[in-house]
Amino acid sequence: MVEASTVPVDDLPQIRSEADLEIGRAFPLDSYALTGTQIDLINQAAYLLESKCLTEKGFTLPPWTPRPDIASQNRLVVKFGLGLLSEARQYGYDVSPEYLEPEKKTTADPPSQQYSEALADALLGPVADRPDLPPLEIDGGQFSVGVPYTPDSCMGIAYNDLDISLARSQELSMWMGSAVVVKIDVESQDRAAADPRMIQVIDDWSACMAAHGFITPNPVEASLTYGPADKATAIAAATADVQCKYDTNYFGVRFGVTVACQQQLIEQQSAELETLAASNRDILNRANAAIEAD
């Protein structure tokens, strides 16, 4: 349980319209996190290096398939919930189709079991030799992520070329690309939620929703209560939800308080984070070089 406290905030921006919400805003953690695009680039470089190694061992991987080009959701919406009035009026609490990846269609015949097992051994090393990967602990929960591999496997060779350790390869399976960054992100949101200004703005938002005929204590409960309702009710509730967020400056308060909480936590772990940032730059430089050399 995070105790309520007031974090010094340099700025509470006014985010009271869709136009305000679409202004680009950075978080302090951005300097230490990897974006989805950067993680995709690292994965592409690793795939190309693995493919070369496997070719030398008599195996063939299909060409690298880039992620489909889909629209990116607003950053504050991704982090803080429903927020674009134009989308709420059209889709309610559902995600706009433009943000969804199309379903993958597989037409090629799957390889034989014997070939697949031999390929896996070449890529990851013999099963008996692959190390155990302990789960990552974040916010009291355990997450099993990553793929175990031996140092002399094709994956091991590829990651070594990119200066990625086994432990770091596990973290690259996570959003933001690092356990310490994810932990700070989660803790900053927990601290922000306990801040009196956040508690007050949610109370104000709830009162605004009641005035529109929707009884709900917070935005999460609103989506759970009214999202599954009939389309007309869901759209009406979602529209009121977003308008009440604008009227109460919900996004401005939440952004400002979260930024302040992140800054506090970053100062406490600055040395570790600066080392991480340097490592990220090195990995991305190596990944770019591997792709350019292909």
Side-chain angles (χ1 to χ4, degrees):
M1 178 68 69
V2 178
E3 295 183 0
S5 61
T6 302
V7 181
V9 176
D10 294 332
D11 179 41
L12 285 178
Q14 296 297 309
I15 304 178
R16 296 181 178 273
S17 68
E18 186 162 328
D20 291 340
L21 195 66
E22 290 180 332
I23 294 173
R25 289 181 171 85
F27 290 90
L29 270 179
D30 292 347
S31 298
Y32 310 101
L34 290 170
T35 66
T37 299
Q38 289 172 326
I39 292 175
D40 284 346
L41 183 142
I42 294 168
N43 287 336
Q44 179 183 359
Y47 188 90
L48 294 175
L49 293 170
E50 290 160 2
S51 182
K52 290 179 181 179
C53 173
L54 288 169
T55 298
E56 295 174 358
K57 296 177 182 257
F59 300 97
T60 303
L61 289 182
W64 170 260
T65 303
R67 182 172 295 188
D69 187 15
I70 60 174
S72 298
Q73 279 188 281
N74 182 281
R75 287 196 71 195
L76 297 194
V77 170
V78 171
K79 203 166 193 65
F80 301 142
L82 189 72
L84 297 182
L85 196 58
S86 59
E87 293 180 0
R89 286 171 171 165
Q90 186 172 1
Y91 302 107
Y93 285 100
D94 294 337
V95 176
S96 171
E98 65 180 318
Y99 305 129
L100 302 176
E101 291 188 18
E103 292 185 7
K104 295 180 180 179
K105 296 181 180 179
T106 303
T107 56
D109 294 330
S112 68
Q113 180 176 350
Q114 183 177 7
Y115 182 89
S116 295
E117 291 176 352
L119 173 60
D121 284 348
L123 178 62
L124 305 172
V127 175
D129 296 340
R130 297 174 200 167
D132 293 329
L133 282 182
L136 297 176
E137 296 188 7
I138 297 174
D139 196 31
Q142 292 189 332
F143 300 86
S144 296
V145 294
V147 178
Y149 58 85
T150 62
D152 57 351
S153 66
C154 285
M155 184 173 285
I157 292 170
Y159 279 149
N160 183 67
D161 286 349
L162 297 175
D163 198 23
I164 297 172
S165 67
L166 177 59
R168 190 66 204 280
S169 73
Q170 186 181 16
E171 295 185 10
L172 288 173
S173 302
M174 305 172 62
W175 175 59
M176 303 180 89
S178 162
V180 65
V181 172
V182 173
K183 288 176 182 177
I184 291 175
D185 183 61
V186 171
E187 186 171 350
S188 68
Q189 294 192 62
D190 288 344
R191 290 189 180 190
D195 186 277
R197 286 160 299 195
M198 269 306 305
I199 294 171
Q200 183 62 56
V201 80
I202 289 175
D203 286 345
D204 294 343
W205 172 91
S206 181
C208 177
M209 288 291 283
H212 284 82
F214 301 102
I215 308 303
T216 180
N218 57 61
V220 173
E221 289 298 324
S223 65
L224 296 175
T225 301
Y226 299 108
D230 63 88
K231 195 66 176 178
T233 299
I235 287 176
T239 300
D241 182 340
V242 174
Q243 189 60 60
C244 285
K245 285 172 178 170
Y246 294 166
D247 292 346
T248 59
N249 195 30
Y250 172 87
F251 283 105
V253 173
R254 191 161 181 183
F255 176 79
V257 174
T258 299
V259 164
C261 291
Q262 283 190 8
Q263 288 173 334
Q264 279 192 340
L265 292 166
I266 287 171
E267 289 172 4
Q268 295 168 11
Q269 302 179 66
S270 59
E272 181 179 4
L273 288 170
E274 290 304 324
T275 299
L276 173 65
S279 173
N280 285 343
R281 289 191 293 271
D282 178 58
I283 291 171
L284 289 169
N285 286 337
R286 288 170 180 260
N288 276 310
I291 293 171
E292 291 172 0
D294 183 59

